[in-house]
Amino acid sequence: MHKGLLKRLLPHVVLLVFSSAILFPILWMLRVALTNKMNAYQIPPVWGNPNFNNFIEIFADNSFMGYFVNSLSIAIGTTLIALPLAAAMAYSFARYNTGGLPLRLAVLSSQMLPPVILVLPLFSLFLKASLLNTQTGMIIAHITISLPFLAWLLVAFFEGDIVIIEQAARIDGATRLQAFLRITMPIMAPGLLAAGLLSFILSWNEFLFALILSGPQTNTLPVGLSSYQSHRGVDIALLSAAAICAILPVFILLPLMKKHLIKGLSLGAIK
Amino acid sequence: MSEITLRNVSKIYGSDDAAVNNINLDIKDGEFMVLLGPSGCGKSTTLRMIAGLESITAGDIFIDGKLINDIDPAERDLAIVFQNYALYPHMNVAANLAFGLKLRKVPKDQIESRILKTANTLGISELLTRRPRELSGGQQQRVALGRAMVREPVAFLFDEPLSNLDAKLRATMRTELVKLHNDLGTTIIHVTHDQVEAMTMGDRICIMRKGIIEQVGKPLEVYRNPANIFVAGFLASPPMNLIEGSFEQEGDSLKIEVSGITLTIPAHFANAYGNVHSRKDVILGIRPEDIYTDSNDGRYTCMETQVVAVEALGPETIMVVKLPGGKEISARLDRSFRAPIGSALKLYADIERMHLFDPETEKAIVAR
């Protein structure tokens, strides 16, 4: 009886410890962001009137808005280009076995190298092509990260039960294109959506490439945050508010992505 | 309505052995042909080549005399029912049925009437607005069948459509499919590894192994006269007992010695076997249902056996017994028959119904 109880409790205790290790800094950050500058450094924490003044201030600040807009446009641009390309690539891998296993591994291998090895040649290339400190350059750089990853993810979708469903459509009289557009695409929509969200998050969070390849006009949020200073120096309360804003999209998108990722993987399967 | 003809058809994947090796098969108009064999025998590959889902490495496939090797699957006007049904998950049942008709530009009012007719035939009228995932396995199966029927194709291809159903439903669907075939009269090619399906459904059975056709024939014909050891051992459950032995010539009578028992081959039989050499190896086949507990007034041959296992199945009792030479065989006996394990038991074989096979070629020595 006691043993059973312990057995059931233990995982929860372990999980509680780990989740608080992850959650505590975020909650602390939230506290600091919602308090005023005077209370920000107080330990033990002082719970003054929570307010959104810090958030209002950072959005009024041009540099933060700049980072935010940069991140948003680069992440959206990356996703809009990488997703169709990755879908085409994955479909070609899955249906026609394009390039065989070697090409598939080659695509994945770019993900196995430490990013810092890729970023230096990219820097010199971008320097020659005048792509440094441009949004186009940043989008290209982020596509090099997203594309292989998305293609790899989508191959698994295209190789699932959808193969047989597509064949059923072909026998039903559909051409390859009709089967793709009227059967495969609608069924794959949740999977594509999940992949798109993933691509957005990857680009949104990316730091190293952005640090090296972007410049004052194109700094993204992660780079901006790392050097965030107001005219009064580092302000921990403002910085916390900015960080909360930076992770908010991820917090909103992740549960959505999880739902669609599972739906994408299981759709078409026999229940 | 159509005749399907396969001429020297092969399928080779990469550098592997042939999945289908130079097969010839004539499927008559309106015939229910069952492709039967263990997994990996090439039956599904053959079906998929007919459907156009696999390319043909060598040979020709004709539908009604027309070569279809290079015709797109969409143009062959065949319908296929897959093992896992492969319904369109994002469409409701009605849309699933309508898909093929819309692609063929059938007028809207005709589409509706054909869907209703098919749904009525299959008893799925109430399901038309449901999505596939809201249906049970049996219902999905009917919808898949309906999707094939509604198009009124030249032939149906069934790729193990019953194997995902539970035993009871499978039995029901077997009879329903046969009834459906009788009503529609359309050519059907049905792939299965289940020999009960093959025996009960097919006009003819085509038994395959390792990419080649072992035997084609009417179910009972194949059951009565298996062409080789593989077919003998594959069909029926429990399958035919196959016992190694050798011929003995004793004066005028020809005998066979198997596992410590000597059986006298009936005179009229022995003549049919012609001039076999004494001591020549042979494999004797006897079906479990040709073994009895009484001698039928001395007409059956007595075997001294020892009981190894008893399977009381209800309608019948399967008795596994050991021959004096150690070989175990099974006998299908009356449901009330019981014997303790390990006890001695006299069984009687109807030697008139035996089969003989050449151990080298594995072929039946004489087709009676």
Side-chain angles (χ1 to χ4, degrees):
Chain A
M1 181 66 198
H2 278 288
K3 229 177 174 174
L5 192 70
L6 193 73
K7 231 179 177 173
R8 276 193 309 187
L9 270 179
L10 196 66
H12 291 276
V13 172
V14 173
L15 285 176
L16 264 175
V17 171
F18 277 99
S19 16
S20 33
I22 294 165
L23 276 177
F24 184 73
I26 295 174
L27 291 175
W28 187 265
M29 197 163 71
L30 189 64
R31 183 198 79 84
V32 173
L34 290 174
T35 189
N36 61 36
K37 294 167 183 68
M38 308 298 295
N39 292 339
Y41 285 104
Q42 298 288 338
I43 291 179
V46 180
W47 304 95
N49 297 336
N51 60 70
F52 288 97
N53 290 342
N54 292 321
F55 290 92
I56 295 165
E57 197 170 320
I58 55 162
F59 274 103
D61 174 10
N62 276 336
S63 62
F64 177 80
M65 273 310 280
Y67 304 148
F68 199 89
V69 171
N70 282 338
S71 269
L72 203 64
S73 53
I74 290 169
I76 290 175
T78 301
T79 304
L80 286 183
I81 296 172
L83 189 60
L85 283 179
M89 208 162 133
Y91 189 79
S92 158
F93 279 156
R95 286 296 170 283
Y96 305 103
N97 198 20
T98 312
L101 196 60
L103 189 61
R104 285 194 196 198
L105 287 179
V107 166
L108 196 67
S109 69
S110 65
Q111 297 291 290
M112 291 172 179
L113 299 173
V116 73
I117 295 198
L118 295 174
V119 77
L120 295 175
L122 215 53
F123 179 84
S124 69
L125 273 174
F126 277 20
L127 189 65
K128 288 250 162 58
S130 315
L131 283 169
L132 285 177
N133 192 18
T134 63
Q135 290 215 345
T136 314
M138 279 309 298
I139 289 175
I140 292 173
H142 279 180
I143 287 174
T144 65
I145 301 171
S146 269
L147 186 58
F149 197 76
L150 293 190
W152 192 259
L153 183 77
L154 289 175
V155 166
F157 285 146
F158 282 123
E159 281 180 338
D161 285 328
I162 188 74
V163 178
I164 304 275
I165 298 176
E166 228 177 83
Q167 288 176 347
R170 296 277 286 128
I171 299 278
D172 247 352
T175 62
R176 231 175 234 289
L177 188 67
Q178 280 173 325
F180 183 76
L181 293 179
R182 296 177 64 169
I183 302 295
T184 312
M185 275 297 126
I187 296 174
M188 289 283 296
L192 289 172
L193 188 63
L197 293 175
L198 187 69
S199 161
F200 182 92
I201 291 172
L202 277 177
S203 168
W204 182 270
N205 287 343
E206 201 283 326
F207 178 71
L208 183 67
F209 280 39
L211 180 70
I212 310 253
L213 303 174
S214 70
Q217 286 84 44
T218 52
N219 270 342
T220 58
L221 264 180
V223 177
L225 283 184
S226 70
S227 57
Y228 194 71
Q229 291 194 357
S230 69
H231 49 273
R232 292 187 295 264
V234 175
D235 183 328
I236 193 74
L238 285 182
L239 187 59
S240 294
I244 293 286
C245 292
I247 60 174
L248 211 55
V250 178
F251 263 71
I252 295 169
L253 293 181
L254 261 181
L256 214 68
M257 192 186 85
K258 194 183 122 202
K259 191 181 118 201
H260 286 295
L261 200 64
I262 292 166
K263 210 173 155 197
L265 279 172
S266 61
L267 236 180
I270 303 297
K271 48 177 182 178
Chain B
M1 288 292 186
S2 58
E3 237 173 60
I4 298 171
T5 312
L6 283 71
R7 284 284 165 269
N8 307 318
V9 171
S10 293
K11 176 72 193 182
I12 298 163
Y13 293 104
S15 55
D16 294 348
D17 287 347
V20 173
N21 195 353
N22 199 24
I23 63 169
N24 287 288
L25 188 61
D26 292 284
I27 298 153
K28 293 177 206 132
D29 185 19
E31 188 171 32
F32 197 130
M33 172 63 87
V34 176
L35 301 185
L36 174 70
S39 53
C41 72
K43 56 191 192 299
S44 273
T45 309
T46 304
L47 191 82
R48 293 169 59 82
M49 282 193 286
I50 296 170
L53 297 174
E54 298 281 354
S55 62
I56 301 162
T57 310
D60 294 317
I61 298 180
F62 302 89
I63 295 182
D64 283 332
K66 190 178 156 207
L67 185 69
I68 56 154
N69 286 23
D70 298 318
I71 291 182
D72 193 83
E75 310 286 320
R76 296 189 186 190
D77 201 16
L78 300 165
I80 191 163
V81 178
F82 291 96
Q83 181 176 359
N84 62 2
Y85 319 133
L87 299 175
Y88 311 129
H90 58 304
M91 299 178 183
N92 67 21
V93 170
N96 263 278
L97 299 189
F99 185 71
L101 297 176
K102 279 185 190 158
L103 287 173
R104 287 184 165 72
K105 307 253 189 305
V106 176
K108 214 172 172 190
D109 53 326
Q110 239 189 77
I111 293 183
E112 265 170 43
S113 66
R114 274 161 81 168
I115 288 178
L116 286 180
K117 191 179 141 216
T118 307
N120 275 333
T121 311
L122 292 171
I124 52 171
S125 309
E126 301 86 58
L127 308 178
L128 287 175
T129 53
R130 300 237 208 123
R131 292 283 181 97
R133 67 170 163 277
E134 297 162 348
L135 305 177
S136 71
Q139 289 170 330
Q140 291 188 19
Q141 218 271 338
R142 277 165 196 277
V143 175
L145 204 58
R147 186 174 65 181
M149 275 167 59
V150 77
R151 269 183 33 223
E152 297 169 8
V154 296
F156 291 111
L157 309 178
F158 293 162
D159 193 1
E160 309 210 21
L162 304 185
S163 50
N164 279 4
L165 302 178
D166 63 60
K168 200 176 157 201
L169 199 53
R170 201 181 312 158
T172 318
M173 282 311 287
R174 273 205 309 261
T175 21
E176 274 196 45
L177 283 180
V178 171
K179 232 172 72 194
L180 204 69
H181 175 244
N182 290 338
D183 293 345
L184 298 174
T186 313
T187 312
I188 295 179
I189 305 177
H190 178 102
V191 162
T192 182
H193 60 263
D194 179 358
Q195 38 99 8
V196 178
E197 270 175 41
M199 291 300 290
T200 53
M201 296 170 79
D203 291 329
R204 283 195 299 158
I205 310 180
C206 167
I207 298 173
M208 296 182 70
R209 177 175 62 154
K210 292 180 184 165
I212 61 165
I213 293 176
E214 296 282 359
Q215 191 172 3
V216 183
K218 291 183 178 150
L220 284 180
E221 225 172 75
V222 177
Y223 168 81
R224 285 190 194 120
N225 302 311
N228 54 45
I229 292 176
F230 174 76
V231 175
F234 191 74
L235 227 50
S237 169
M240 186 184 286
N241 296 301
L242 296 164
I243 318 161
E244 295 90 1
S246 55
F247 285 114
E248 300 285 344
Q249 190 75 47
E250 277 188 22
D252 278 348
S253 65
L254 186 63
K255 290 171 190 279
I256 293 181
E257 203 196 302
V258 286
S259 197
I261 304 177
T262 307
L263 305 168
T264 305
I265 297 179
H268 65 278
F269 234 98
N271 298 336
Y273 286 103
N275 45 1
V276 280
H277 308 292
S278 203
R279 304 300 314 166
K280 182 179 159 53
D281 285 339
V282 68
I283 290 178
L284 171 87
I286 182 115
R287 292 217 178 263
E289 42 274 40
D290 293 328
I291 298 175
Y292 301 89
T293 46
D294 67 84
S295 69
N296 191 14
D297 295 333
R299 276 194 284 273
Y300 298 160
T301 307
C302 181
M303 303 183 292
E304 303 276 353
T305 69
Q306 193 190 4
V307 179
V308 175
V310 181
E311 296 172 11
L313 298 178
E316 65 203 11
T317 299
I318 306 293
M319 190 75 68
V320 181
V321 297
K322 200 195 279 180
L323 297 177
K327 173 77 183 175
E328 285 180 12
I329 63 169
S330 48
R332 171 174 276 167
L333 304 174
D334 189 81
R335 60 185 159 186
S336 59
F337 188 82
R338 294 286 180 279
I341 289 170
S343 65
L345 179 66
K346 271 194 175 126
L347 289 177
Y348 299 88
D350 183 359
I351 204 79
E352 297 274 345
R353 291 188 182 274
M354 72 178 179
H355 300 259
L356 293 175
F357 301 95
D358 185 324
E360 268 173 50
T361 62
E362 301 201 342
K363 290 203 168 86
I365 291 180
V366 157
R368 274 175 281 164

